[in-house]
Amino acid sequence: MKKIQVLLALLLLVNLGASAQDAKAGAVLDAMSTKYKNMKTFTANFSYGAISASGKKGRVRTGSIAVKGVKFKLNMAGQEIYNNGSEIFSYVEETNEVNVTEYDASADSQFSPANIYSIYKKGYKYTHKGTATIGGASCDLIELIPLKGNGNIQKVEIGVSKSTKEIKNWKLTDGSGKVTAFDIVKFSPNVTLADSYFTFNTAKHPGVEVVDLR
């Protein structure tokens, strides 16, 4: 579940506000925020892997995410998380078990992909770190550092396409100094997604154990 939480924290890095922020970085983030806020839905496929001190990427894994308003579905590391706006389903493929909890909108936090455009304004200092070509696209590099001590995250560097204002990749440095890189492989805005897509379907998982924690 830790990997899932790390990804959620990252897929959400897009709103932060404080005085003495980097104006250039803020302009990039604001443009990105507007881009995502205007989308009714989006889906993305991504790859991720640890990066060694020498810059070499380790084993590469893949995942996917779909977002529609507060609803989302995330597949990553053998886990599936669904939020249909009233319930959250956390399914672990290896154990064929799903935990069901109630979704509380008033308690919504940074660990929700639905907040992708509203996180950078709360609790991070942002700095423009230059530009780079990522996946063939010219990108601005923005560094986010927690304003308060955060044992899970030291910093995050995100690459934002200059032309589309979409996130192309990000690198997370955790509390131990480990760096994990995430790359967007495919991004599709405003796709058609039925509300039922965001509810776990027990019929598709024969023998699944349902643990109702509501």
Side-chain angles (χ1 to χ4, degrees):
M1 183 60 71
K2 181 179 180 181
K3 290 182 179 179
I4 294 292
Q5 290 179 329
V6 167
L7 175 67
L8 294 181
L10 295 176
L11 286 174
L12 312 177
L13 289 172
V14 196
N15 263 329
L16 194 163
S19 59
Q21 292 281 20
D22 184 325
K24 186 173 183 179
V28 172
L29 292 171
D30 286 343
M32 177 174 59
S33 174
T34 299
K35 173 80 174 186
Y36 283 88
K37 190 179 296 185
N38 288 335
M39 295 178 192
K40 293 181 179 180
T41 66
F42 69 84
T43 62
N45 296 332
F46 57 88
S47 63
Y48 63 100
I51 298 180
S52 68
S54 64
K56 183 178 180 181
K57 184 179 287 188
R59 178 183 176 185
V60 176
R61 305 186 183 203
T62 60
S64 64
I65 187 167
V67 175
K68 181 180 182 180
V70 300
K71 302 178 179 69
F72 67 83
K73 177 184 176 183
L74 173 66
N75 296 332
M76 184 181 176
Q79 299 182 65
E80 299 175 8
I81 296 181
Y82 301 73
N83 179 351
N84 63 12
S86 59
E87 301 154 314
I88 296 177
F89 305 82
S90 300
Y91 173 70
V92 178
E93 182 178 7
E94 184 178 6
T95 59
N96 199 26
E97 177 181 294
V98 61
N99 290 339
V100 186
T101 57
E102 184 176 354
Y103 170 65
D104 182 0
S106 66
D108 210 1
S109 70
Q110 66 177 353
F111 296 115
S112 167
N115 289 336
I116 188 167
Y117 51 79
S118 62
I119 294 303
Y120 74 84
K121 287 185 177 178
K122 296 180 181 180
Y124 291 86
K125 177 181 179 181
Y126 44 78
T127 307
H128 192 277
K129 303 299 288 187
T131 61
T133 299
I134 302 171
S138 178
C139 296
D140 289 296
L141 301 179
I142 310 297
E143 182 181 78
L144 301 174
I145 296 179
L147 294 175
K148 296 181 179 180
N150 186 325
N152 295 323
I153 300 175
Q154 283 188 22
K155 67 178 180 179
V156 179
E157 182 181 275
I158 58 177
V160 181
S161 169
K162 286 178 172 288
S163 60
T164 68
K165 308 307 178 185
E166 296 169 1
I167 300 173
K168 300 298 290 184
N169 82 344
W170 61 89
K171 295 179 181 178
L172 167 73
T173 303
D174 69 14
S176 67
K178 178 182 177 181
V179 179
T180 304
F182 295 78
D183 296 286
I184 299 297
V185 177
K186 181 180 179 180
F187 182 84
S188 302
N190 298 316
V191 298
T192 300
L193 295 170
D195 289 340
S196 59
Y197 183 77
F198 302 96
T199 296
F200 181 80
N201 188 341
T202 56
K204 293 183 178 180
H205 302 274
V208 64
E209 180 181 356
V210 179
V211 180
D212 195 332
L213 302 176
R214 290 170 292 181

